[in-house]
Amino acid sequence: MKNLKIFYLLALHSLKTTFQGRVGTVLFMLGKIVRVAFIFIFIAIVFSRTQLIKGYSLNQILLFYLTYNIIDTLGQIFYREVYRFKPLVVSGGFDLILLKPFHPFIRILVGGMDFLDAFLIIPYILTALYIYITGFHGGVFPFLIYIVFLFNSMLLVTAFHIIVLCVGIITSEVDHTIMIYRDITSLGRFPMDIYKEPVRGFFTFVIPIGVMMTVPSQALMGILSWQMAVFSFLVSCSLLGSSLVFWQFALKKYQSWGG
């Protein structure tokens, strides 16, 4: 309860900070909307020339894209503070966080919620739900399974962000690492099946972007094998556990005042 109260206070502070610059907030929201709209236009243009892409219909491709946006946006909502971690390491301010009587993740991982992205995720979820109800008629149970696999994907997102924090402690570099992560995850906008081997295998079994972004949609459509379902849970738990071990290693390397 103490940690939840601290999280609430930090989130409230972040909300107040966000709305201090109202003009910038509006422009940021418009930019996000335009970017998403252009992707939808691109998908529509592609399907005006063909009916299937690697065996997937328009509705299925849209579900993959919306799922990617939901997972990516959830990561930005809860873990935005990771983007601001570098100055704490360089200045030595991370020392003060380590001395606080709560886990540092509450401050450096989830301590700066991005409420602008929180407003944008609602249309993604509603659109995905509408496409599923009107285009698939699969009932409630597949959608519940979909939620379970979304949670599993968020475990992977959490692990990747913890790894970024660890790299930041060891090298004092966060900006490039987090942007590399964003660039790699953008491959998951569309199903991994559209990529040729060995790219598809690498980003499914080595760097599990396919597990993170593709598996939930496949579960919703009923085309996910039980082997891949089990593998996805094993991968998420293993990577999260490894990231926590890496975190302990990184803390031992931290020397204060510049890493």
Side-chain angles (χ1 to χ4, degrees):
M1 293 302 296
K2 180 187 73 172
N3 291 335
L4 287 176
K5 184 177 181 180
I6 295 172
F7 171 74
Y8 168 75
L9 293 174
L10 291 173
L12 186 63
H13 177 267
S14 179
L15 179 63
K16 292 179 179 179
T17 303
T18 297
F19 287 102
Q20 283 182 346
R22 292 182 176 85
V23 176
T25 298
V26 172
L27 293 176
F28 179 82
M29 293 284 286
L30 289 175
K32 286 271 189 177
I33 293 170
V34 170
R35 181 173 66 88
V36 173
F38 271 112
I39 294 294
F40 274 107
I41 293 171
F42 167 74
I43 295 174
I45 292 173
V46 170
F47 274 91
S48 67
R49 303 292 182 179
T50 182
Q51 295 300 312
L52 296 173
I53 296 180
K54 279 292 183 177
Y56 293 107
S57 66
L58 173 60
N59 280 343
Q60 290 174 322
I61 291 295
L62 287 175
L63 276 178
F64 280 113
Y65 177 63
L66 288 167
T67 299
Y68 160 79
N69 276 284
I70 291 171
I71 296 170
D72 181 63
T73 305
L74 283 173
Q76 293 186 59
I77 290 171
F78 288 103
Y79 305 139
R80 177 62 72 175
E81 197 65 18
V82 173
Y83 293 71
R84 310 182 185 102
F85 182 58
K86 178 180 178 178
L88 290 175
V89 177
V90 174
S91 66
F94 185 44
D95 294 14
L96 301 177
I97 295 174
L98 292 174
L99 292 173
K100 295 291 190 295
F102 54 81
H103 199 285
F105 283 171
I106 297 176
R107 173 63 177 83
I108 63 174
L109 187 64
V110 296
M113 286 187 66
D114 188 344
F115 286 92
L116 296 183
D117 282 320
F119 295 132
L120 289 174
I121 199 173
I122 297 174
Y124 296 149
I125 296 174
L126 293 178
T127 306
L129 184 60
Y130 173 77
I131 291 174
Y132 175 68
I133 292 174
T134 59
F136 293 92
H137 310 288
V140 177
F141 182 72
F143 204 80
L144 294 177
I145 298 297
Y146 176 69
I147 298 299
V148 171
F149 279 99
L150 281 182
F151 177 78
N152 187 64
S153 296
M154 287 307 299
L155 293 182
L156 288 169
V157 173
T158 303
F160 279 120
H161 280 82
I162 293 174
I163 291 172
V164 171
L165 291 174
C166 296
V167 173
I169 292 175
I170 296 173
T171 67
S172 300
E173 182 56 64
V174 173
D175 300 338
H176 293 89
T177 310
I178 196 66
M179 294 313 298
I180 290 172
Y181 161 78
R182 294 293 302 277
D183 289 340
I184 292 175
T185 55
S186 66
L187 294 172
R189 283 194 177 102
F190 305 107
M192 287 290 115
D193 297 337
I194 69 172
Y195 302 108
K196 294 182 178 180
E197 296 289 358
V199 174
R200 180 171 58 199
F202 181 79
F203 287 107
T204 300
F205 301 106
V206 180
I207 301 178
I209 301 303
V211 174
M212 183 195 304
M213 301 298 184
T214 301
V215 166
S217 298
Q218 290 178 332
L220 182 61
M221 299 171 195
I223 59 175
L224 180 67
S225 66
W226 69 267
Q227 294 93 337
M228 182 55 70
V230 172
F231 175 75
S232 65
F233 286 115
L234 291 176
V235 166
S236 61
C237 293
S238 299
L239 188 60
L240 183 60
S242 300
S243 68
L244 294 175
V245 172
F246 190 24
W247 170 256
Q248 295 299 325
F249 171 79
L251 284 181
K252 294 178 182 179
K253 297 296 181 180
Y254 179 63
Q255 298 178 5
S256 182
W257 298 100

